[in-house]
Amino acid sequence: MTAHHTPPSPPLTMVLLAAGTAAFFTLGVIQAMYGPAFTLFQDRFGVSTAGVGLIASAHFVGSALAPPLVGILLIRFTLRRVVVAALLMLALGVTLVALAPSWPLAIAGALLGGFGLGGVSGGLNAAYASIGTRAVNLVNAVFGLGSILSPLLVAGAGGNLSVPFLTVAALCGLTLLSARIWGFPAMREQALPPGPGRAGVQVGFFLVLLACYVGLEVGFGAWAGRHLQSLGYTSFAVIVAGYWGGMTVARVLTGLLGARVRPERLVLVCTALTVLCGLAATQAALAPAAYILAGLALGPVFGTTLVWTTRSLPARWVPFLLTSGSVGGIVAPYGLGVLAARFGQEAIPLTLAGLAAALVAVVWGTLRVTRPASASPSAA
């Protein structure tokens, strides 16, 4: 299988980036909100430690269902129409979470909001990944900025569950306004790769890779705070914000320097470092620094993997592949909650380290099946 020629990337202008960065900032805020808000959900609805992770899982069920529909809709409708509809769903879902009088209604709101997030993420990640390394890492860095502020927003809400989720609804409104002014970028189409059998193998590896990665990212973000609380760290929210901050810094650096490194090598090194961070977090004295460094290690993986994907497969397949990432997000928060309830909070970093080790193995396998395609020059 041969690599595909990628046309020169367009300049990164305000018109290209404005609405996309607003959208990814909003996604970052809601993506990182459920974990820090677990205590607020427990206080308001009286759910258990094992059960509270269900609301984050519902959010990711919605986000898992949306990308395949996005891939189908993009055949007939413009990216702008699809993303605007998804933003409206996200706004409605988080408003329901904020105002729900019962736990089942809160879960329903998380499901709807997750569906909206999956639509926005699927459409815009496909578009920016098709543009090039700089664009996709930049917008995902803005995603990380929203994730940094999210735990602090929850911590500063004074125990009021409605405030952070209604803030996300307001951010959806601002994103819609920016889309009306600047619009969203068009997705740059590529031809189907030759050798459909080999393409199918690559699709399988990328599906598992993205599932493991998102499970790991969400697992760290959702449960690091609870582990740190069990160790006696009162500043756990700040440390979790540092985890998302490390991810953002890494994505900015990747946007500046990542084109100098082959994407598969960068992803492999980053995932291996994440294993070490998970093991270091098992030691109480090292845990705060380990979680922040985990953000630095994981930061380049998502955007770089998407660029790696578009070098081997058509960009319009990205929304379908992102579904598997949402599956990882469904399983990880709930699974970690069950393990923490059964074996204690010390099971959290060990489980994260094990998942990171599995991700290293998957990345290595993906590297081998894409080796001929990945020999092309780095994208801009």
Side-chain angles (χ1 to χ4, degrees):
M1 179 176 176
T2 59
H4 301 293
H5 172 70
T6 301
S9 298
L12 302 184
T13 62
M14 174 66 74
V15 173
L16 183 69
L17 295 175
T21 53
F24 275 93
F25 178 81
T26 303
L27 298 188
V29 173
I30 185 59
Q31 188 88 329
M33 185 167 287
Y34 283 99
F38 279 169
T39 300
L40 301 184
F41 284 116
Q42 288 182 279
D43 292 342
R44 182 167 173 177
F45 298 108
V47 293
S48 66
T49 298
V52 71
L54 183 61
I55 194 162
S57 295
H59 170 81
F60 280 97
V61 168
S63 66
L65 295 174
L69 180 60
V70 168
I72 295 171
L73 290 175
L74 286 175
I75 298 173
R76 297 191 58 186
F77 301 101
T78 65
L79 180 74
R80 182 181 183 278
R81 294 182 67 181
V82 172
V83 173
V84 166
L87 280 166
L88 291 172
M89 290 183 188
L90 174 57
L92 181 60
V94 294
T95 300
L96 181 56
V97 172
L99 305 178
S102 66
W103 182 238
L105 281 177
I107 293 175
L111 180 66
L112 179 61
F115 193 87
L117 179 144
V120 177
S121 176
L124 292 184
N125 268 309
Y128 283 108
S130 70
I131 290 170
T133 301
R134 295 172 61 205
V136 73
N137 277 284
L138 179 58
V139 294
N140 277 285
V142 177
F143 175 96
L145 179 60
S147 300
I148 295 169
L149 297 178
S150 184
L152 303 180
L153 178 61
V154 173
N160 188 334
L161 181 65
S162 298
V163 170
F165 286 92
L166 289 178
T167 300
V168 174
L171 289 172
C172 289
L174 292 175
T175 303
L176 288 169
L177 178 61
S178 67
R180 183 173 181 82
I181 297 171
W182 290 291
F184 290 114
M187 186 166 58
R188 308 170 83 197
E189 297 288 353
Q190 295 184 17
L192 287 171
R198 186 171 180 82
V201 173
Q202 292 180 1
V203 166
F205 272 94
F206 279 120
L207 285 170
V208 178
L209 194 163
L210 289 169
C212 290
Y213 167 76
V214 175
L216 197 59
E217 176 189 308
V218 176
F220 271 105
W223 285 100
R226 296 301 293 270
H227 179 234
L228 291 165
Q229 280 181 291
S230 73
L231 298 176
Y233 288 100
T234 57
S235 59
F236 66 93
V238 176
I239 298 169
V240 174
Y243 161 76
W244 295 110
M247 189 169 291
T248 301
V249 170
R251 285 171 176 171
V252 171
L253 292 175
T254 304
L256 296 174
L257 306 172
R260 303 178 183 182
V261 182
R262 290 172 63 177
E264 67 275 17
R265 291 181 179 175
L266 180 58
V267 172
L268 183 61
V269 170
C270 288
T271 52
L273 290 174
T274 305
V275 177
L276 299 179
C277 292
L279 294 174
T282 63
Q283 305 301 309
L286 299 177
Y291 284 125
I292 293 172
L293 290 174
L296 282 166
L298 285 171
V301 174
F302 183 73
T304 306
T305 297
L306 294 185
V307 175
W308 183 8
T309 302
T310 58
R311 293 183 183 181
S312 300
L313 302 168
R316 66 179 180 272
W317 290 11
V318 168
F320 297 98
L321 297 176
L322 290 176
T323 301
S324 67
S326 298
V327 171
I330 294 166
V331 174
Y334 184 75
L336 282 164
V338 171
L339 290 172
R342 182 171 182 180
F343 300 108
Q345 304 294 328
E346 61 272 13
I348 292 172
L350 281 174
T351 304
L352 291 169
L355 182 57
L359 179 56
V360 171
V362 174
V363 170
W364 178 257
T366 310
L367 187 155
R368 293 185 64 83
V369 300
T370 60
R371 192 179 298 276
S374 63
S376 60
S378 295

